[in-house]
């Protein structure tokens, strides 16, 4: 995890699946945003992070908390093209918008690089004023997640920083490091 | 679930295990209190509610949230005497205070009756001003629990009511109804 | 685990709950017997071993495989008297016979001592000729269990020995050592 | 499930990943073969069937039981090309051979059609004489699986039939029907 003072960098995506084409963080100002960076072939993303994202979206009203996916492909590019991602989203019944992080050849995709993510899954928590309040690589406990998100919801929209997080390239059962 | 306007009724217990003898809700005023009413032979309490209580106690600092157990025996009384409860608490490594709800012959024990609980497990959420804000019979999702508790923590100490909950005698895998 | 050449020692129980009063290993000769030694306050027994015993009893016909419980209390004696065990068996819906290992003061109970068990849970596998073929302290994988039991079922009734097992006093989440 | 009298039809695959190029059922005669037909975007295959296949391969020696995968793509063809499958096999650490069922345009792939499979996952159990003894669409309990496979292992190589199974197009959390 790392806390940051400034605004969360805008997402640079080639398209949004399941959301309006002009979806952006700026557009979501006023809501708490929780974004899950994932890869469809990352076991920990599929088994843990995405189901948690679905539970989160079910607990908080959409007007209050926007849950987003961000497909940040940094390996096996040919196996995880948007076409495959669409099939994945359909079969796994993902019902929140998923952005396709803009590819950058063999470099890390644009948004992933911009946030200096260590791998997948990575959770981003952005407050109502658009500030990145927490970035966490790996798993977050459900109770702690509910508490953190509610703390952001409960804020008037006044800033404060938060903190704390783990960190290697290749996938384990739980996560994939860039 | 049911919301209530007034103060949470004081617990009437014959003893506290793992806590000071004079523990009381009045004593905890200023903290959020989450109490789990359970029976040591209730499968849903053992498999779901008590592990959740332990996770909750691990997420929130003690100065902020007090997690309590309340042993509300309404069946198999001879099998769940305080002596057995002490062994249970030791083997299951329960590290928060557990009150023994005061027996009332073959009637429901005192605190359980006072709160008109429907069975076990029942979760009580009490705000910093001592008001009962939520009473829920059965399971609560972890994300929702974290969010609700944080909402109470975030309150200045100003009141508001909350709401929502399920409801027979005998135990199922998940709960025991009085 | 330990393999043995001779007959499985007869169980010395003070009573059978959920079975005929004269139940014995001799009586079950011709069937494969899988017995689970447990304590009702042993977390690993409640969470893992007893549910597995129920699954096992559901897979194999009773005429082929007899699943038994053996309540081997070696600590917290007053908390796990037969009266409490009966309530436990009812609440956890255990539908196979459970023998109460005969108490021996503060010594290990009789059957547990006779089998030199290391703690709970312990699984005993006895072949159709009444020989103890495997004794295992701790958890056994479901696929391996199904395979081992079927191997005993498939035997004409001709002997062979098997082997392999883990091992201190006190309970962990998984097991309780004597 | 359905029992069959004759030999299990040979697999018609375009390639084997993680196995010798000339792998065939004929080649495996003398061993029990358990094959898992799956799709990499079928949630029930990923969450249930493939982990079970890995556990099965860990319990039985390779000389005794051959565990195989069969990638039977009947939807989202472009998303599940061999290149993507290779990435999937690597990330999920699948350590048994996986055959790519030969495509047949928009028809069901060749082996899937030959076996008249209803969808994925489907488990095929083939005895040491090469006969298809059980074909099951959906989930099989671990204890029952261990028992069935051991029953086949224990046979001299003499035939008998077995039986029993569930059954629409589209994926649920548990399975995908063709």
């Amino acid at each position: 995890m790392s806390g940051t003072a400034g605004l969360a960098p805008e997402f640079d995506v080639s398209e949004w699946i399941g959301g309006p084409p002009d979806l952006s963080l700026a557009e979501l100002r006023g809501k708490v945003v929780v974004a899950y960076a994932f890869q469809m072939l990352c076991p920990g993303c599929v088994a843990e992070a995405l189901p948690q994202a679905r539970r989160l979206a079910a607990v908080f009203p959409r007007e209050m908390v926007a849950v987003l996916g961000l497909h940040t492909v940094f390996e096996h590019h040919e196996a995880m093209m948007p076409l495959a991602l669409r099939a994945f989203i359909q079969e796994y019944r993902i019902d929140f918008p998923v952005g396709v992080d803009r590819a950058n050849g063999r470099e890390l995709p644009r948004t992933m690089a911009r946030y200096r993510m260590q791998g997948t899954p990575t959770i981003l928590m952005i407050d109502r004023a658009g500030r990145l309040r927490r970035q966490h690589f790996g798993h977050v406990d459900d109770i702690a997640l509910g508490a953190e998100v509610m703390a952001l919801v409960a804020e008037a929209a006044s800033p404060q920083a938060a903190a704390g997080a783990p960190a290697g390239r290749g996938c384990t059962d739980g996560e994939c490091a860039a």
Side-chain angles (χ1 to χ4, degrees), chain A:
Chain A
M1 149 13 259
S2 57
T4 106
L7 286 184
E10 193 52 76
F11 285 6
D12 185 2
V13 305
S14 51
E15 66 174 307
W16 283 99
I17 301 174
D22 60 342
L23 187 57
S24 69
L25 294 182
E27 188 70 24
L28 294 168
R29 208 60 47 81
K31 296 184 186 184
V32 172
V33 176
V34 183
Y36 283 79
F38 74 100
Q39 294 180 103
M40 56 176 281
L41 291 182
C42 158
C45 300
V46 173
E48 302 282 351
L50 292 173
Q52 184 182 68
R54 288 178 53 168
R55 291 194 297 273
L56 184 67
V59 164
F60 289 95
R62 276 162 193 257
E63 297 70 38
M64 202 175 272
V65 177
V67 175
L68 302 178
L70 181 69
H71 198 229
T72 54
V73 178
F74 60 86
E75 58 184 351
H76 306 302
H77 295 77
E78 306 77 5
M80 295 190 275
M81 301 298 279
L83 180 147
L85 177 61
R86 285 176 188 280
F88 175 85
I89 286 171
Q90 178 187 331
E91 295 303 338
Y92 280 88
R93 301 183 177 180
I94 293 174
D95 55 0
F96 45 80
V98 174
V100 177
D101 198 1
R102 193 178 302 279
N104 184 20
R106 287 287 145 179
E107 302 297 304
L108 291 182
R110 300 289 185 183
T111 311
M112 190 178 190
R114 196 173 278 183
Y115 278 81
R116 298 170 187 270
M117 291 182 198
Q118 298 170 272
T120 55
T122 287
I123 303 175
L124 306 174
M125 298 189 196
I126 299 169
D127 69 18
R128 299 198 289 172
R131 287 169 300 224
L132 179 62
R133 299 291 291 277
R134 184 144 129 90
Q135 176 170 335
H136 180 81
F137 171 43
H139 183 67
V140 171
D141 171 82
D142 268 21
I143 294 179
L145 175 69
E148 287 191 63
V149 173
M150 182 55 96
L152 296 180
V153 166
E155 291 180 349
S158 55
Q160 283 168 36
R169 188 143 183 165
C171 293
T172 66
D173 269 12
E175 53 201 42
C176 295

